[in-house]
Every structure is written in structure tokens, then in C-alpha cells.
Amino acid sequence: SALTDCVCKKGYTGSNGGPCTACNGGWFKKNTGSAACVICPAGDYSDEAASSCKTCPANTDSAAGSHGLASCKCNIGYTGSDGGPCTICPAGTWKGTSGSSPCTECSSGTWTFPSDTGATALDTCRSCAQGSSSSPASVLYTQCRCNIGYTGRDGSPCAPCPAGSYKVANGSAACTGCAAGTYSTASAATTADTCVSCHDNSTSNFFSDAANDCRCVAGYTGPDGGPTCPQCSTGSYKSWVGSQACMLCKAGQYSASLGATADSVCLTCPANTYSVAGSGAVAECRANVGYYMVSSTPTPCPIGTYKDTGLNNSEAGCTQCYVGGTTLFDTSVSISQCLCDVGYTKSGTNNCPACARGKYKATTGPKSCTSCPANTNTPDGVAAHKLTLCTCNAGYTGDDGTACTACPKGSYKAATGNATCSDLCAVNTYSITSAAVSATVCLDCDANAQSPAGSGAATECKCNVGYSGSDGGACTACVAGRYKDAVGSAACTRCPVATYSAAVGAVNDTVCLTCPGITTTSSTGKTVVSDCKCNKGYTGPDGGGSCTTCTAGKYKDAIGSAS
């Protein structure tokens, strides 16, 4: 063997017999011997002393002679760390260089298909349709939405909002029309501030796009678009929007309203007055017969007057009917409409005297006066015009206008009218007179009798307690030995046996004193103590309390003082 039999190992190179040096990274030598190291091809890499090249990870690449895994760079359309792993750029992004840089998002206003992954060029990002835009990295054309001021379906071309409208947000929503009373001449408007208010007293329809769309409102007139809309004058109205002239109120009507919007403001002149078309005040309505004017107001001649000419418009033109005369209605036009008033009756031509006292007349016309009901009268000096002025005479009561009844016995009524007979004879008096007008008819009861207020007969006078007598008659005091404890005609009650009373006019049995000792009386109604006598079987003086028992062998079978 010789030194030259020593050959370089795989991954090393040099002359047989040495020395041998390791192949540099990016190179390899797969056999032993003195052969030179071979460069790794693109897409591979190696470390020092490599006997073979390693393939870069998926989706990476390297230049020929690359040293180490980090030399493997992500391909275009992929991103990740040097040496991998590398992920594909998602739809909506692209990457046109190799290496570890991130994928670039498609800019706003562009989009890609969902399948456009691993894009390597900007032209993958397609522009949104006209008038629309999208967020960065948008996938699908429907993410292209109409810009503010534009409208249309998502993903489709968007049209600018027409004049008279605006749109403040992105998307497929419709444009918003300018509100009624405003207009806008700008297209693709992005704010409501674009809508300009119409001139005073004019309006426009929703979505108006020109100043001429502003037309005068009801009650005002002028050219479309202005510059002004003057009010309709008095005597006219306009109930529609536009440039037409105001309409005049018809003849026989008037209106004092400015800017009127309907013919309802045209008021008909008062009856029997007239005006020309377009009259602007009631004063322009002239009064006819039966009417007069108060300032500008036509007023009927009042009841009781008439006016037979249209020449005098003052109240003085209304002539008063003759005394006692009136008319059935206002607006009378002739003296022939004057009739006798209520409370007055006809007596000759144009002569109506008042109804006499005790009579009334409730209707207008030639009818005679009617007599009041029984026991009633009318006030003195009054032309009674209704039945209820017939009121009850003094001493009578009842409703006004009806026959009155006499006040009952025991009462009186001093005044006329419908008051009740509430004035009564006083207690302890009575009256037998009906229809009384004063208390002078009330008579006194006996001095020892009493009666309630309003008593209507002498028999209502009843003897007081302690007195006896017939109802309505004289009352005498109960004698000694008797009493009476109730009002009325009953007799006085005797004190019972074994009692006595010396009191006159006694009102209860407390005056009946018990006999003393063992005594009694021979009967009821005794008046002195001496009427008290010793009982049977006893003896002693009358009225005494010293009755003694009969001794043995003796008896006494009667009351008294006998032995």
C-alpha cells in the first residue's frame, strides 16, 4: 500500500494521499476520491462536507450553490420565513417577489375571485365597477358597493344620484329625495345640505330638481320659481298650489281674510243684503228693508219695530210699534206686522191697552185677556203676560197660575204668592177661621189648658195636668185628696185608701200621704190626717198614731175612735 491509496471521503476533495478539504456549503461530493465538489442546483441546498444536496421545502426555491436551509426563499405568491414553511397568498392579496415579505392586499376599489389565491401580480386585483368602491383585500365583485352620491346593486356599475336627491352612505340603498319644499340641481350629491329651501310661501314636491319646481302654496300666487309669492287679497282665495291667479268670492259674498285657501272664507252676506264679487268686508254688504247696519255688521230690526225702507241704514230707521204693540219676529218690514203684545189686548185700530188686574194674556195678537184662576190676582199696574203672574191672594196657597186653596184653620198667610201657609197660631191658641190673613184670628185657650201650634178647633185646648174639664171648656183644679198626671179631659184621680192629701191641683200621686200608725181611711180621696182612723180591733183618737189593741175579752169590728 502507498500513501496515494488514502483517498478523500464523500463530501471532501483533494489529491489521493491528502490533504482533503470539506466541500463548501452549496456544494457536494457523493463519491470518495480526488474528484472535485459539485455545485448544488437551484432549488437545492447543502451544508459543508455534504455528500448530497437537499431539496428546498414546498413552495420555496433557492439559487444554485445555496448554503443552508435559510437559503430556501418563499416563491412569489407565497409568504413565510426563509427556510419555510410558506403559505399561499389568500384571495384578495398578491406577492410578486420571492422571500419572506408578506402578501400585499389589493387596494380599496378593487376585488378578486375567491379562487385567486397565490396571486403573483397586481393585475390580479380587478377594479370595481364605475361609481363603486370596496375595502382593501375584497373578495368577490359584490363587495364593490356604490359610493356616497351613487346608487345601484352591489358589484354592478353605480349611477350618480340624480338632481333632487342625495345619498350619504356607501351601499345599494336608493338615493334619498330632497324633502318637499326644497330642491337640488346637483347630481351625485352626498348630503342633505345640497337641498335648497324654496322661497317664502312656496313649496315643491319630493325629489324636486329645479328652482321652477317651487310653486306658490294655496293662498298665495306668483310665477313658478319666484322670486316672491304675494298673498291673495281680501275677497279672494286660492285652494291649490301653482301660479294660477286667486279666485274672487262670488257676488253676495265677502271675505276679510288675507291669504285664504278655500272658498269657505267667502261668507254669505246677511239676509236681505248684497255685495259685488270680490268684496273684502261685511261693510260692503248693504242692508235691505227690515235691517239696519251697526258699523259693518247688518243687524235685524228688533222685535217690536219695523223698517219699510232700504234708504236709512241706521238703527233709527227701525220704527217702534204703537204702545202695547209688537211684532212676532225681527226684520219686520211694515206697521201691518205690529200686533197687540202679550199682556195687552186690541181695542180699535193701532190701540192695545193693558189687561185689567186679575187678567192676563200670554199670546201676541188680538185675543182678549183671560181671567185668573180662583183666589188669585195679578200685581197692580202690571200688564200680565203669562198665567204664572196670577198668584195666590193672602190667606190662600198654591202654585203660581193655578187655583189656590184656603189656608186651613189654625194657620194664616199675610202675603200674596205661592208660599205655604206656614204661619201657625201659637201654642195655647186656636183658630176656627180658614183663609186667615193674620194672627188676630187666633183665640186663647183656657188659662189652665194647652194646645199645639196650629190648632184649628177649641177642642184642641186640653186641660193641663192637675186640672180637669172638657176639651175646649173651662178647666178647674183637682180638689184636695185628688190628683191628675196627664193632659186632657179625664177626671182627677182619688188618693187610694189609707192615704190622704190636702193639696189642690196636684199633678201626681206623690201628694197622697200614708196614714200614720195602725190607721186607715174609710174610702179613697181623703183630705186630712184626721180621716185616718184606728183599724178594726184597735182603738185610739182619729189621726193619731197611738192606736192600741183591744184588751182580752173585748173586740171592735169597725174602724174609728170608738172603744
Side-chain angles (χ1 to χ4, degrees):
S1 294
L3 177 62
T4 57
D5 290 331
C6 295
V7 295
C8 293
K9 298 176 180 179
K10 295 177 182 180
Y12 290 82
T13 191
S15 301
N16 293 333
C20 295
T21 58
C23 291
N24 292 328
W27 297 74
F28 73 98
K29 180 169 164 280
K30 64 181 180 178
N31 296 316
T32 59
S34 59
C37 296
V38 178
I39 191 169
C40 287
D44 289 348
Y45 70 94
S46 70
D47 297 319
E48 289 183 354
S51 61
S52 63
C53 297
K54 297 178 181 179
T55 301
C56 284
N59 304 316
T60 64
D61 201 3
S62 64
S66 292
H67 175 205
L69 178 61
S71 298
C72 295
K73 310 290 185 184
C74 290
N75 294 333
I76 60 174
Y78 291 82
T79 186
S81 302
D82 290 342
C86 296
T87 57
I88 194 167
C89 289
T93 65
W94 64 280
K95 183 164 167 277
T97 59
S98 60
S100 59
S101 61
C103 302
T104 302
E105 290 183 338
C106 289
S107 62
S108 58
T110 64
W111 63 280
T112 67
F113 287 112
S115 58
D116 287 339
T117 57
T120 61
L122 176 62
D123 59 8
T124 304
C125 303
R126 298 166 176 81
S127 296
C128 285
Q130 179 182 1
S132 65
S133 186
S134 64
S135 301
S138 290
V139 177
L140 289 177
Y141 70 95
T142 54
Q143 292 183 342
C144 293
R145 306 179 70 207
C146 292
N147 295 330
I148 60 174
Y150 287 79
T151 187
R153 291 187 301 170
D154 292 342
S156 297
C158 298
C161 289
S165 66
Y166 60 93
K167 183 163 163 278
V168 299
N170 294 325
S172 59
C175 301
T176 300
C178 288
T182 66
Y183 69 94
S184 170
T185 59
S187 62
T190 61
T191 173
D193 294 341
T194 308
C195 303
V196 179
S197 295
C198 289
H199 59 281
D200 289 345
N201 304 315
S202 68
T203 190
S204 62
N205 293 328
F206 176 66
F207 242 108
S208 291
D209 61 1
N212 279 353
D213 291 334
C214 294
R215 300 186 300 159
C216 294
V217 298
Y220 294 80
T221 189
D224 294 342
T228 61
C229 291
Q231 268 184 326
C232 291
S233 60
T234 59
S236 66
Y237 66 93
K238 178 168 163 274
S239 56
W240 50 87
V241 174
S243 59
Q244 300 92 329
C246 301
M247 292 288 293
L248 296 179
C249 290
K250 298 176 182 177
Q253 296 180 330
Y254 70 94
S255 170
S257 299
L258 289 169
T261 61
D263 62 359
S264 59
V265 301
C266 298
L267 305 178
T268 301
C269 282
N272 298 314
T273 64
Y274 189 78
S275 66
V276 297
S279 292
V282 69
E284 296 179 49
C285 299
R286 302 300 177 186
N288 281 340
V289 293
Y291 286 81
Y292 69 98
M293 302 299 288
V294 177
S295 298
S296 59
T297 302
T299 305
C301 286
I303 290 176
T305 68
Y306 63 94
K307 179 168 171 275
D308 55 7
T309 176
L311 298 178
N312 189 344
N313 273 332
S314 70
E315 187 175 11
C318 300
T319 303
Q320 191 74 38
C321 287
Y322 42 81
V323 174
T326 189
T327 58
L328 293 176
F329 310 102
D330 55 15
T331 68
S332 294
V333 299
S334 169
I335 192 173
S336 64
Q337 292 178 272
C338 294
L339 304 172
C340 290
D341 204 352
V342 292
Y344 294 84
T345 187
K346 186 174 178 63
S347 177
T349 303
N350 299 340
N351 183 33
C352 297
C355 290
R357 190 171 185 210
K359 294 187 176 185
Y360 70 96
K361 178 168 163 278
T363 58
T364 301
K367 186 177 178 180
S368 299
C369 300
T370 302
S371 296
C372 286
N375 303 315
T376 64
N377 210 339
T378 56
D380 191 22
V382 172
H385 64 281
K386 57 184 177 179
L387 176 59
T388 52
L389 288 176
C390 296
T391 59
C392 293
N393 296 329
Y396 289 83
T397 186
D399 294 332
D400 293 343
T402 63
C404 297
T405 57
C407 290
K409 297 173 182 179
S411 66
Y412 60 93
K413 178 168 161 272
T416 61
N418 60 8
T420 60
C421 301
S422 57
D423 292 327
L424 303 178
C425 286
V427 294
N428 303 332
T429 67
Y430 68 95
S431 170
I432 60 173
T433 303
S434 60
V437 299
S438 72
T440 58
V441 299
C442 300
L443 305 176
D444 291 329
C445 291
D446 182 86
N448 296 309
Q450 61 178 277
S451 67
S455 293
T459 54
E460 294 188 53
C461 295
K462 301 181 183 295
C463 291
N464 294 332
V465 293
Y467 290 81
S468 180
S470 60
D471 291 343
C475 298
T476 57
C478 292
V479 298
R482 301 187 183 193
Y483 67 91
K484 181 165 164 275
D485 58 4
V487 174
S489 59
C492 299
T493 303
R494 291 171 174 268
C495 285
V497 172
T499 66
Y500 68 96
S501 171
V504 175
V507 299
N508 55 49
D509 62 0
T510 59
V511 300
C512 299
L513 305 177
T514 303
C515 286
I518 307 173
T519 62
T520 188
T521 60
S522 60
S523 63
T524 59
K526 296 304 181 180
T527 62
V528 292
V529 71
S530 59
D531 289 328
C532 296
K533 302 179 183 297
C534 291
N535 288 336
K536 295 176 182 181
Y538 290 84
T539 187
D542 293 338
S546 56
C547 294
T548 59
T549 306
C550 290
T551 59
K554 295 182 179 182
Y555 70 94
K556 182 167 167 274
D557 60 1
I559 65 171
S561 58
S563 297

